[in-house]
Amino acid sequence: MSIPNNSRVAVHSKLTVVSSTPTEPGQAFPLSALDHAMGRHTLHIIFYYRSEQAGRIQFEPIRRSLSELLSLYPTVTGRLGRDGEGNWEVKCTDAGVRVLRAKVATTFDEWLRSADGEEEKDLAVWEDMPDDPCIWSPFRIQMNEFEGGGVAIALSCAHMLADPTFATLLIKSWTDAQRGEPIGHPPFIYPPALRSRPTSNATTKATAYYASKAKLEEPPPLNMATTTFNFSSSAIKRELSKIHAHCPEASPFDLLTALFWSRIHQTMAPKNDPKRSLSICTDFRKRLHAPLPYGYFGNTMLFSRLTLGAEELDGGDLGLVVRSVHSHTAGLEEEEFWSTINWFHSIKDEKGKFAPPFAMYGPELTCVDMEHLIAPSGPSGGAVEPLMYMAMFEKDVKPEHVSYLVGNVGGEGLILVMPSPEGGLARRVAVTLPEEQMVKLRENRAILSLEPTLILSRGR
């Protein structure tokens, strides 16, 4: 996606940053079954630093720290290629990361007030992977400078290579290096960690769901709008107390997923099907018997389906929906994760090539749980904080906002429930819906009763 001529974002320079220590030649890392499954999508994360902070974030120093950091990330500076079976692998060529610099023709605060989710895309690099990606940089960074100060630093990548956790920690590690501190969550590059297991069941609820997704026709494209709702810790605490009798163990994710699912359902056109389904995306790094480090290179997300009757969503008793969401996510077992990997291996062709990817974010409404990113800030424990808001190029200079955007999201839409810089129970919920539905959602009384502030939500 090229930046339109009338955009307030103008790219003025491009360069390639390579690692300060050359990568050992000849290395190649195969992508896992779950990585291949994400081939339809791209991932984009934008870190916002406001004006009084931005004067301390100078390009040349952070370029040097990025070069030093990349010595630890040979899969980030490499290029995609095919192995002997026709599957994707990262060839560690040390070709570097593309970095773009841009100017934004407005102030930091005015951007957050006046931009919408569509215009926000101009702050990141959106490029389709070419047929032959041997010289194409799958990781790209765009540094955007606002008038009067303030910067937005965006990381873009092919979703095959990274999920939100790894991509978040790549930027956080960059900031650790910039401050001259140890890397809190170093990369863990070990492809065999997610190989198929011969003893794993390939006929679970998860595999049945993936098999059904693979058969779905892609819906026609719609004009989509994105709004981020910011909920305070006090508001979430108040709402959790109201549904405590139904689900005393409910988390902010359970509450907000139930709230937005039920309210989005009300904005949809009537359907003949009395059932309503929600796809829930859960990171499994720390839910495995042998947990993977946060810095695991690749994708560790499981998509599962929760189905309720339309009358249950319309019934007005939010606590019952919260309980259903909580029971579903708490009941996910490790076997579902491994069976999914086995299923993707089972549908390879006769030459051992993975089947073509299909839409993972959609076509049904999809909700992503990002609660796991509230985690210890370093390998030795320490404070439990939102990892994305620990990405500080200078001490105590935290991002004011972090946006997560996914490419090629269609169908019914996407909900991301994310930590907030406020900490505690506070959360930010980024919602992408067809434009007409978004207008109704922004006016929903049940959501507005929690007194959210809206970020990057101007309608067009």
Side-chain angles (χ1 to χ4, degrees):
M1 182 188 82
S2 59
I3 296 177
N5 292 332
N6 61 350
S7 173
R8 291 185 287 180
V9 181
V11 173
H12 60 80
S13 64
K14 301 178 182 180
L15 68 155
T16 300
V17 177
V18 298
S19 61
S20 59
T21 303
T23 301
E24 183 179 340
Q27 293 186 81
F29 292 91
L31 300 190
S32 73
L34 297 185
D35 296 335
H36 280 82
M38 303 306 296
R40 292 283 299 277
H41 303 288
T42 56
L43 179 62
H44 314 265
I45 310 179
I46 306 172
F47 291 75
Y48 288 89
Y49 299 86
R50 83 165 29 254
S51 56
E52 58 266 26
Q53 305 165 347
R56 300 161 65 184
I57 303 176
Q58 300 297 324
F59 177 73
E60 190 56 32
I62 67 173
R63 184 199 65 77
R64 289 195 297 267
S65 61
L66 176 61
S67 179
E68 293 169 3
L69 175 77
L70 291 176
S71 299
L72 302 177
Y73 288 85
T75 50
V76 171
T77 59
R79 295 294 182 261
L80 282 165
R82 298 281 190 178
D83 64 15
E85 296 176 334
N87 294 318
W88 291 113
E89 63 180 6
V90 180
K91 299 181 184 295
C92 297
T93 59
D94 201 22
V97 173
R98 290 288 279 169
V99 178
L100 287 70
R101 298 183 65 189
K103 294 283 188 181
V104 185
T106 189
T107 65
F108 182 93
D109 288 319
E110 178 60 25
W111 176 269
L112 292 181
R113 280 196 303 267
S114 63
D116 61 11
E118 187 63 28
E119 188 179 21
E120 188 183 31
K121 293 180 179 180
D122 294 347
L123 298 179
V125 183
W126 295 70
E127 292 178 356
D128 294 329
M129 184 172 71
D131 293 335
D132 182 3
C134 65
I135 61 172
W136 178 73
S137 176
F139 285 86
R140 285 139 285 147
I141 293 170
Q142 184 167 316
M143 183 172 177
N144 307 275
E145 300 178 19
F146 294 91
E147 290 183 350
V151 297
I153 296 177
L155 172 69
S156 301
C157 63
H159 210 318
M160 287 195 303
L161 293 173
D163 59 13
T165 303
F166 178 85
T168 298
L169 289 174
L170 175 59
I171 296 295
K172 183 181 179 298
S173 296
W174 182 11
T175 67
D176 291 342
Q178 171 64 20
R179 299 196 314 274
E181 297 184 3
I183 305 302
H185 297 279
F188 180 71
I189 305 171
Y190 185 61
L194 294 185
R195 282 179 177 167
S196 61
R197 295 186 172 184
T199 58
S200 187
N201 185 3
T203 56
T204 61
K205 290 182 180 179
T207 59
Y209 179 43
Y210 281 96
S212 67
K213 284 173 69 69
K215 298 175 183 178
L216 293 174
E217 294 184 5
E218 186 170 347
L222 298 172
N223 292 327
M224 308 293 279
T226 299
T227 296
T228 298
F229 299 79
N230 184 59
F231 297 96
S232 69
S233 187
S234 59
I236 298 298
K237 182 178 181 179
R238 182 179 69 245
E239 293 303 308
L240 286 173
S241 68
K242 292 180 181 179
I243 53 91
H244 183 268
H246 286 293
C247 188
E249 302 86 10
S251 68
F253 172 80
D254 301 328
L255 170 68
L256 292 168
T257 299
L259 176 64
F260 277 90
W261 183 21
S262 58
R263 272 49 192 182
I264 291 172
H265 165 64
Q266 295 173 0
T267 69
M268 292 180 173
K271 296 181 179 180
N272 295 327
D273 188 351
K275 299 289 186 180
R276 295 293 181 268
S277 293
L278 176 71
S279 177
I280 298 180
C281 177
T282 309
D283 189 280
F284 251 77
R285 278 173 174 79
K286 298 304 178 182
R287 301 183 68 156
L288 301 176
H289 177 70
L292 289 170
Y294 283 102
Y296 170 77
F297 172 74
N299 288 272
T300 61
M301 301 188 302
L302 177 73
F303 290 81
S304 59
R305 178 167 54 197
L306 171 61
T307 301
L308 295 177
E311 70 282 357
E312 295 179 79
L313 288 177
D314 284 337
D317 195 335
L318 182 64
L320 295 177
V321 184
V322 172
R323 187 171 64 188
S324 296
V325 172
H326 177 79
S327 297
H328 175 83
T329 55
L332 292 173
E333 298 180 353
E334 181 174 353
E335 184 64 20
E336 300 280 344
F337 184 77
W338 291 112
S339 69
T340 297
I341 295 173
N342 268 26
W343 182 79
F344 279 111
H345 279 274
S346 73
I347 59 172
K348 286 181 175 180
D349 65 19
E350 64 278 2
K351 295 182 180 178
K353 184 178 181 180
F354 284 106
F358 49 88
M360 303 301 290
Y361 296 93
E364 59 283 298
L365 185 66
T366 303
C367 186
V368 182
D369 180 359
M370 301 181 72
E371 298 265 274
H372 68 286
L373 286 174
I374 304 174
S377 57
S380 58
V384 176
E385 300 186 55
L387 292 176
M388 65 278 280
Y389 291 103
M390 294 300 294
M392 301 178 292
F393 285 99
E394 295 288 342
K395 185 176 176 58
D396 298 327
V397 180
K398 297 183 178 182
E400 177 156 316
H401 176 61
V402 181
S403 287
Y404 289 78
L405 310 175
V406 179
N408 200 22
V409 171
E412 295 181 354
L414 178 65
I415 308 167
L416 295 98
V417 181
M418 306 173 288
S420 164
E422 179 186 338
L425 298 174
R427 296 293 184 271
R428 289 185 172 177
V429 182
V431 183
T432 300
L433 293 175
E435 286 181 342
E436 292 184 3
Q437 285 182 250
M438 181 59 75
V439 172
K440 297 177 182 178
L441 189 72
R442 289 176 184 148
E443 300 171 351
N444 186 272
R445 291 184 178 181
I447 293 175
L448 294 180
S449 70
L450 274 70
E451 300 178 341
T453 55
L454 305 187
I455 303 170
L456 297 161
S457 63
R458 180 179 62 86
R460 286 189 171 182

